[in-house]
Amino acid sequence: MKVVFFGTPQFAVPTLENLLNHPEFEVLAVVTQPDKRRGRGNQLTPSPIKTVAITHNLPVWQPQRVKKDTETLSLLREVGADVFVVIAYGQILSQEILDMPKLGCVNVHGSILPKYRGAAPIQWCLYNGDKETGITTMLMDAGMDTGAMLLKATTPIKLLDNAQDLAEKLATIGADLLVETLIGLERGEIKPIPQDNTEATYAPLIKKEDYQLDWSKSAIQLHNQIRGFYPNCITSFRNQPIKITATAPLDSTYLQELPSEVQQYLHKESNGSTLSGSPGEVVGIAKGIGAIAQTGDGLLILREVQLAGKRPQSGWDFVNGMRLRVGEVFENING
């Protein structure tokens, strides 16, 4: 089966590699976003998908706007693909492009559709505290993730999974599901199922304000925000911005899913449930782990933080390096 692959980030890499290593498929070309300037040196950097494509000597097309780029449109028409595979490409495809390949355009989406249509399904399912997510393959139409569904695969979400962990897990699941989908589609063994639009939810692009922590929220809400929008959630400490990148709710409700050192702390410290203060206040320090902060409801232990311009550090290193004291306060970034 002849394939043109549309994709950009690391999330799409396992799927492309699976296609390249499978005898049933021939990847004719790769379409990816233009190189972007990244890092302190502001160097032009290729997308992860482009890097893989170059390694395999594949043609790489990088239009600024694929549906308006006459050269790319001509190449796509002429290449004679059976199917276009699209995974986290980052641009909307026109109906003209969707109609080009014989089998259509197959998308690999990081949610159980029709839930979490949109740009950031992995991040928002964590933010909302979902216990399960997965991958859906679908035949694309002109809408935003509204096409008929082909196959699904689910996976449980663990309490300590963050967006990076879950993306890696789903990328592997998606790579296998896509191969199964294409083979089934070509053989006529898969019947596309329309989505129920009344059950649809949306996962929009994450905005700057979504990263800001509000200590009046509950411990589990803050924990879900921090892992969902990893590694960018921000608060203020000693009048300086600081990122909090890993936490755990200090609550026996989640005992079996907590890190072993936090479980041991809860078993050992009978006073854990009696600590209290105002939202954002450091009400205790767990030796070897990190600071314990009061939230609007419950306690949150800070397992990893990142000071501005520094690498992430363990919560315990942060306590020692800052000589943190009980009674100090993490404040909302807006005051």
Side-chain angles (χ1 to χ4, degrees), residues 158-160 220 223 247-267 299-301 303:
K158 297 177 182 176
L159 181 71
L160 299 182
I220 191 64
H223 173 70
T247 56
L250 203 58
D251 189 329
S252 58
T253 306
Y254 310 101
L255 187 63
Q256 298 307 313
E257 291 192 84
L258 292 172
S260 57
E261 65 273 17
V262 178
Q263 289 187 33
Q264 290 165 15
Y265 177 84
L266 279 171
H267 282 308
L299 301 173
L300 192 68
I301 193 159
R303 299 171 51 234

Side-chain angles (χ1 to χ4, degrees), residues 18-59:
N18 230 19
L19 291 173
L20 290 167
N21 293 327
H22 199 290
E24 292 282 332
F25 305 103
E26 179 188 359
V27 180
L28 304 174
V30 162
V31 186
T32 190
Q33 292 276 53
D35 296 359
K36 291 188 176 178
R37 297 194 178 276
R38 290 186 176 88
R40 291 186 177 178
N42 207 27
Q43 296 289 317
L44 268 178
T45 307
S47 72
I49 283 295
K50 180 180 179 180
T51 302
V52 173
I54 289 169
T55 302
H56 289 268
N57 298 311
L58 294 173

Side-chain angles (χ1 to χ4, degrees), residues 7-207:
T8 299
Q10 181 62 37
F11 182 70
V13 166
T15 303
L16 176 57
E17 289 180 334
N18 230 19
L19 291 173
L20 290 167
N21 293 327
H22 199 290
E24 292 282 332
F25 305 103
E26 179 188 359
V27 180
L28 304 174
V30 162
V31 186
T32 190
Q33 292 276 53
D35 296 359
K36 291 188 176 178
R37 297 194 178 276
R38 290 186 176 88
R40 291 186 177 178
N42 207 27
Q43 296 289 317
L44 268 178
T45 307
S47 72
I49 283 295
K50 180 180 179 180
T51 302
V52 173
I54 289 169
T55 302
H56 289 268
N57 298 311
L58 294 173
V60 178
W61 306 331
Q62 296 179 273
Q64 289 286 346
R65 294 188 67 201
V66 65
K67 59 186 180 182
K68 299 285 188 182
D69 191 290
T70 54
E71 182 182 354
T72 303
L73 291 172
S74 295
L75 290 167
L76 288 170
R77 270 191 296 268
E78 293 164 7
V79 75
D82 296 305
V83 66
F84 293 167
V85 169
V86 184
I87 174 166
Y89 170 49
Q91 292 190 39
I92 301 292
L93 304 187
S94 63
Q95 192 63 51
E96 179 185 6
I97 296 171
L98 296 176
D99 291 339
M100 285 181 187
K102 300 170 192 172
L103 293 174
C105 295
V106 174
N107 178 240
V108 180
H109 186 73
S111 78
I112 302 301
L113 290 170
K115 281 191 170 183
Y116 299 112
R117 295 173 178 174
I122 295 170
Q123 290 87 341
W124 287 105
C125 80
L126 286 166
Y127 177 86
N128 289 327
D130 289 7
K131 303 296 185 187
E132 183 181 69
T133 187
I135 291 285
T136 307
T137 53
M138 68 174 170
L139 280 175
M140 295 176 69
D141 61 17
M144 173 66 78
D145 302 324
T146 54
M149 301 176 293
L150 299 169
L151 293 179
K152 295 183 181 182
T154 62
T155 186
I157 300 174
K158 297 177 182 176
L159 181 71
L160 299 182
D161 283 342
N162 63 31
Q164 181 176 300
D165 301 327
L166 196 52
E168 289 173 2
K169 192 187 302 184
L170 288 174
T172 302
I173 293 170
D176 292 334
L177 194 67
L178 186 273
V179 167
E180 185 182 346
T181 299
L182 294 183
I183 291 173
L185 200 59
E186 187 180 43
R187 293 175 181 171
E189 297 170 352
I190 298 175
K191 182 181 177 182
I193 300 171
Q195 294 186 43
D196 183 347
N197 292 330
T198 64
E199 294 184 1
T201 61
Y202 293 90
L205 283 169
I206 299 162
K207 299 174 183 175

